[in-house]
Amino acid sequence: MALEIGDKAPDFEVNDQDGNKVKLSDFRGKKVVLYFYPKDATPGCTAQACNLRDNYEALQKAGYEILGISSDDEAKHRKFIEKQELPFTLLADTEKEVHEKYGTWVEKNMYGRKYMGTQRTTFIIDEEGKIEDIIKKVKTKEHTSQILK
């Protein structure tokens, strides 16, 4: 069953780039941008992360905590953060459990080849832990404006 605006955001616990356990429920009382992306250091994912980095101050002023999540491991996340100077947390969902809860681990099709992968999707979660918005058609280079609209 797909998540919808108004639903309670499923809680989870995964490691961040430094191996620290992070739970969504730790952010209760704050607005959260939970963005699912396919892979560290690829062109689209880098453009998206850098757009959020370049507008991080505006996102913080609007009260948002940023959490990026992919199936990459902690080491890849650390390298990506260091190379791109990202000021926010990246979560390692190597078992794809969070992807499954949020419906972002999907069958994809490229050049006729079917495979499983991350559907780039952003969930805006309010202070109560409810989904305020779901951005399915992410514009990687303009993502902040989609969030702050």
Side-chain angles (χ1 to χ4, degrees):
M1 189 174 87
L3 291 171
E4 296 178 4
I5 293 170
D7 288 349
K8 186 177 187 310
D11 199 14
F12 57 80
E13 182 176 319
V14 291
N15 288 348
D16 69 7
Q17 68 275 355
D18 298 317
N20 301 313
K21 295 272 183 219
V22 175
K23 287 194 230 172
L24 180 62
S25 55
D26 294 340
F27 294 89
R28 233 6 84 71
K30 297 179 179 178
K31 296 189 284 188
V32 175
V33 173
L34 179 64
Y35 82 96
F36 289 81
Y37 66 98
K39 195 165 178 53
D40 290 338
T42 56
C45 298
T46 300
Q48 183 177 14
C50 290
N51 176 265
L52 295 171
R53 175 201 66 203
D54 295 347
N55 295 285
Y56 187 65
E57 197 174 299
L59 289 160
Q60 290 237 288
K61 269 189 189 155
Y64 290 109
E65 290 288 333
I66 310 296
L67 298 174
I69 185 165
S70 78
S71 58
D72 289 315
D73 64 23
E74 293 97 328
K76 284 183 184 169
H77 282 340
R78 253 191 328 277
K79 194 173 172 184
F80 189 44
I81 285 171
E82 287 167 13
K83 184 172 183 183
Q84 301 303 330
E85 300 179 4
L86 303 178
F88 47 83
T89 300
L90 296 180
L91 303 174
D93 186 25
T94 55
E95 302 297 315
K96 296 145 193 107
E97 291 172 6
V98 183
H99 282 71
E100 292 287 351
K101 285 182 179 184
Y102 282 79
T104 59
W105 189 249
V106 298
E107 184 177 272
K108 296 175 122 185
N109 190 344
M110 186 182 290
Y111 307 116
R113 185 179 71 88
K114 292 185 187 309
Y115 64 97
M116 295 300 289
T118 301
Q119 181 175 352
R120 189 185 308 275
T121 309
T122 298
F123 294 85
I124 312 297
I125 301 165
D126 72 12
E127 298 88 344
E128 311 295 312
K130 286 202 167 76
I131 298 170
E132 195 172 271
D133 197 10
I134 302 170
I135 303 169
K136 293 182 180 175
K137 293 190 186 311
V138 173
K139 296 176 182 170
T140 57
K141 294 177 181 172
E142 304 164 29
H143 197 41
T144 301
S145 61
Q146 289 181 293
I147 294 165
L148 296 176
K149 69 175 178 3

